[in-house]
Amino acid sequence: MHPNARSDEPDPRSPHVRIIEVSPRDGLQNEPGIIPTDDKVAFVNALSRTGVGEIEVGSFVSPVAVPQLADTDEVFRKIERVPGVIYSALVPNERGLERARAVSAQKIAVFTAASETFTQRNIKATIRESLERFRPVVAGAKRDGMVVRGYVSTAVFCPYEGRIAPTRVTEVMKRLLDLGADEISLGDTIGKAAPADVRRLLDAALPCLSRDRLSLHFHDTYGMAVANALTAWWEYGVEAFDSSAGGLGGCPYAPGASGNVATEDLVYALKASGATVPVNEIQVVAAARRLVRHLSRGLTSRLSALTIGTECRVGDQEP
Ligand code: HMG
Ligand code: MG
């Protein structure tokens, strides 16, 4: 329980935690090389069978901005969709929405940030302009029955502006909710946040939306991501986390940012702490391994190192 919480307050924690697997998008957007489409398809298909409830398959952004994901349309067309799994993609504008619609994506994510400089570098707009750009996108997506996620990047630190005040994050978050976003993902884009920062952020953010509409998106540059997620779940009852198989990831517009928290390490930590997470972390490692020969670096997760050359049995975790 948070030290500031009153002892007569109900325990906020739900035992059930959802994982949003972002590696095919956040993981692969930062690779220097372009991974063959069929390997991406096999990767998404393998992830679909790990138990994750949602997979961010790619981005319908400008192919000049992110050539690594220019084939997202084809990946969507070729994957085998497992019933119950949500397949989503990043969409920056109406052109992106058309592409998402053409492949019957169930969910889209619009993305902006709490820092002006990052927003300008990432999507060539001010925060205000980005939100205006999203207005018809969110409305159109909802008309078509799609679920809409709104990302707020640089929610704790910006690579250009340094520390970001939580009030700047909540302002952007509220605007996204006003536009009609169903859920919000707050991103520690450069992976520098520590649990004390997470508490400050959640103290500001949670009064603005219900917990089941919030996801946290931790990168792991400083090795704090698992601690941050456990803090958010244990002390504040946050129920959803974005993570990436093998710890793949980064943002091409956030220099020095490392990968997302590895799904397998996060799932292990959550289960070991008493959460119910319907994801098989060993299958997640196996899915990430399929891609290794195409990657510029190896997998960074603790579990992937542990399971090399073994029967992949880790502790007493149930699949
Ligand atoms: P712009 O250059 O201002 O856009 O880019 P534009 O409208 O002038 O278009 C430029 C060219 O791109 C045109 O082509 C458009 O047709 C094309 P041309 O006429 O020159 O041949 N274009 C498109 N093509 C296909 N699909 C589209 C599309 N839009 C334009 N949707 C824009 C503005 C936002 C489009 C561009 O900057 C962009 O695509 N940026 C994406 C950047 C990106 O993907 N960043 C990484 C994701 S964010 C992230 O990683 C953080 C996150 O993980 C959370 C966290 O960690 O905090 C989510
Ligand atoms: Mg990210």
Side-chain angles (χ1 to χ4, degrees):
M1 182 174 293
H2 187 273
N4 297 337
R6 296 201 327 264
S7 58
D8 57 346
E9 281 176 351
D11 187 341
R13 239 173 295 132
S14 155
H16 303 285
V17 176
R18 288 179 290 121
I19 297 292
I20 294 88
E21 176 58 51
V22 296
S23 53
R25 194 278 303 171
D26 210 346
L28 302 189
Q29 74 180 11
N30 208 36
E31 274 299 307
I34 302 211
I35 303 207
T37 304
D38 286 343
D39 291 284
K40 292 180 183 170
V41 170
F43 181 44
V44 174
N45 286 345
L47 291 170
S48 294
R49 291 178 167 79
T50 61
V52 295
E54 180 173 341
I55 302 174
E56 214 169 62
V57 174
S59 292
F60 295 117
V61 299
S62 157
V64 177
V66 185
Q68 294 91 333
L69 301 181
D71 59 352
T72 294
D73 318 66
E74 199 182 343
V75 175
F76 258 99
R77 288 201 177 93
K78 289 185 162 175
I79 54 174
E80 290 159 25
R81 299 190 199 198
V82 169
V85 177
I86 296 168
Y87 298 90
S88 65
L90 253 56
V91 162
N93 52 22
E94 289 185 274
R95 173 85 191 279
L97 177 62
E98 275 168 39
R99 293 172 62 194
R101 202 179 264 139
V103 298
S104 307
Q106 294 135 287
K107 179 167 177 177
I108 62 154
V110 293
F111 54 108
T112 186
S115 136
E116 284 293 354
T117 318
F118 181 81
T119 310
Q120 197 60 248
R121 304 264 174 117
N122 195 32
I123 53 174
K124 299 188 187 169
T126 63
I127 297 170
R128 181 187 289 267
E129 284 164 353
S130 72
L131 292 162
E132 280 313 309
R133 202 184 270 171
F134 298 154
R135 188 179 296 283
V137 176
V138 175
K142 298 208 69 157
R143 247 191 330 268
D144 288 357
M146 294 179 189
V147 177
V148 177
R149 154 177 281 215
Y151 272 109
V152 185
S153 289
T154 63
V156 186
F157 289 98
C158 168
Y160 311 105
E161 296 182 18
R163 186 178 282 281
I164 300 291
T167 47
R168 288 173 69 185
V169 180
T170 51
E171 274 164 32
V172 180
M173 194 177 94
K174 282 188 216 158
R175 297 284 308 276
L176 284 165
L177 292 169
D178 289 346
L179 286 182
D182 297 291
E183 66 177 47
I184 297 291
S185 174
L186 299 180
D188 175 26
T189 314
I190 60 171
K192 201 173 173 182
D197 301 307
V198 173
R199 292 188 185 106
R200 276 190 287 272
L201 180 64
L202 292 175
D203 283 339
L206 278 175
C208 307
L209 84 178
S210 60
R211 267 197 293 261
D212 59 349
R213 297 176 71 189
L214 179 66
S215 187
L216 294 179
H217 179 110
F218 293 116
H219 284 259
D220 201 27
T221 316
Y222 286 77
M224 295 278 108
V226 166
N228 289 338
L230 287 181
T231 301
W233 173 66
W234 188 266
E235 297 181 16
Y236 291 84
V238 173
E239 296 164 11
F241 297 96
D242 304 352
S243 62
S244 172
L248 305 174
C251 176
Y253 300 92
S258 78
N260 299 81
V261 61
T263 304
E264 55 271 34
D265 289 349
L266 178 62
V267 169
Y268 181 91
L270 285 163
K271 286 181 180 176
S273 307
T276 306
V277 194
V279 177
N280 182 322
E281 62 271 31
I282 303 307
Q283 288 176 356
V284 172
V285 176
R289 287 232 177 94
R290 302 179 71 105
L291 275 192
V292 165
R293 67 198 163 100
H294 295 294
L295 302 176
S296 57
R297 59 185 173 101
L299 307 180
T300 57
S301 72
R302 299 295 176 119
L303 258 67
S304 65
L306 269 180
T307 55
I308 286 172
T310 73
E311 287 306 303
C312 296
R313 186 175 165 79
V314 181
D316 294 315
Q317 300 296 311
E318 288 297 320

